[in-house]
Amino acid sequence: MNSAKSWLVFWVGVLAYIAAVMQRSTLGVAGVSAVERFDAGASALSALAVLQLVVYAAMQVPVGVLIDRLGPRVLITAGLSLLVAGQVVLAFSPSISVAVMGRILVGAGDAAIFVSVMRLVSSWFSGPIVPQLSQWMGNLGQAGQILSAIPFAWLLHALGWTPAFLAAASFVALTLVLGLAVIRDRPAESTESGRAESFREALQSLKTSFSRPGTQLGFWSHYVTQSSGTVFSLLWGYPFMVYGLGLSEPMAASMLLVIVASGVLIGPLLGLLSARYPYRRSNLVLGIVIAIGCAWTALLLWPGTPPFWLLIVLLVVLGAGGPGSLIGFDFARTFNPARVLGSANGVVNVGGFLASFVMMFLIGLILDSQSATGASPGELYRLESFRLGFLVQYLVIGFGVVMLILARRRTRRRIVEEEGIQVGPLWVAALEAIRRRRG
């Protein structure tokens, strides 16, 4: 493996993920335009984004099972097709109710792409390069945010709502054609065990995978690292910067690119550290969460309007959360056999989006509660209202940190039990077991 064909499949898979991220993040850039087009308040706008993420999260486990049964190529094809349909519906939406249908399709299509491409990486590559490629895939995919923040935003303001969303759909359609021509589930010479022979077998594999503490550790790692950056970049960051901090719309859109750049720079480092120090991965996750919490605390407690440099610091640490969340998939890969990785990755990928849509919706409710019905965007998105709304992150992510620590302890105990050794404290025994397992 690791041949020229492997790399071709990898890059086309990355392009599919870029296309999915672009469609996912278009609403964040179009949030202000959506308020004007649909005459919607913060709760309605957050419900639109939350519904998309609810569909995405709800589809993760079924998509994982389908990957184990049908293979990633089928799921990537179906996902890209749904993304095209969803963006076309949104392009011509005359009302918020029709837009909801479009975002449901986008959420369903988006749900199929990431875990499918992760499965391709595990099938087409082997060895220490796998966690590094997973990081690169996740980081390069964030180029989709660049496409939504620059060319899509430009089209939206220059040509209007319908042409911009049709252009986004066209990009996905081209990616779909390329994916059909190039992507295959695994190399012809692969010795990897075959797919599940029935959906019943796939569902049984899901149940077994979900019961593994290592899979649960991956879920909570994804939950605590990805969610804050997702909430900021997909919905509330743009209006926060425009109305709360007073940035111009082009400047606010460009600031979202800081998150992407940060992830691209930090991701490879995290990939190397994860491969070299596999029994320190949870410490990397907790370090990222602490950094995000400190940055938010400094910004929210700053008297008056926070300075520009502090916003940059926040965006940089939020960018680290994206590649940090990919460590969750490395846990899934470590503690599950290859033939059930689709299900395991699906379980893990629910984590961050579950936390995200809960926080998105609660922030929308708090913003609406702080303003009168029918308030203008300037009145709706006041800095003080955002200060209060963003506090929900501490509750939601704090709960996830507690669950992560408990899952880590169960994982270490399981390793020790499987290896049949007891050496001092539990964490020492777990490290010794990992070293023995690796020869």
Side-chain angles (χ1 to χ4, degrees), residues 166-177:
L166 286 179
S170 299
F171 174 62
V172 184
L174 292 174
T175 305
L176 172 59
V177 172

Side-chain angles (χ1 to χ4, degrees), residues 42 236 240 243-244 300 362-372 377-392:
W236 292 125
F240 168 67
Y243 294 105
L300 296 178
L362 291 177
I363 291 170
L365 289 179
I366 292 172
L367 290 175
D368 267 349
S369 71
Q370 300 299 303
S371 61
E379 297 171 332
L380 186 61
Y381 299 137
R382 293 180 296 110
L383 177 58
E384 293 307 315
S385 298
F386 273 116
R387 288 188 197 275
L388 185 60
F390 284 140
L391 290 178
V392 302

Side-chain angles (χ1 to χ4, degrees), residues 14 89 96 105 112 181 216 239-240 251 297 348 359 371-372 405 421:
V14 167
V89 169
I96 192 74
L105 292 173
Q216 298 168 20
F240 168 67
M251 176 62 77
T297 300
V348 169
M359 291 193 294
S371 61
I405 293 172
I421 64 172

Side-chain angles (χ1 to χ4, degrees), residues 242-316:
V242 171
Y243 294 105
L245 301 183
L247 274 61
S248 67
E249 292 190 19
M251 176 62 77
S254 65
M255 284 297 98
L256 295 176
L257 302 183
V258 176
I259 297 177
V260 178
S262 173
V264 169
L265 294 174
I266 295 173
L269 175 62
L270 290 178
L272 287 172
L273 292 174
S274 297
R276 185 168 298 180
Y277 305 107
Y279 39 83
R280 291 286 185 263
R281 290 173 293 184
S282 59
N283 291 342
L284 293 174
V285 169
L286 291 172
I288 291 169
V289 174
I290 291 171
I292 292 173
C294 290
W296 269 117
T297 300
L299 186 137
L300 296 178
L301 292 180
W302 193 276
T305 302
F308 186 73
W309 66 263
L310 185 54
L311 173 64
I312 296 295
V313 170
L314 173 66
L315 297 178
V316 168

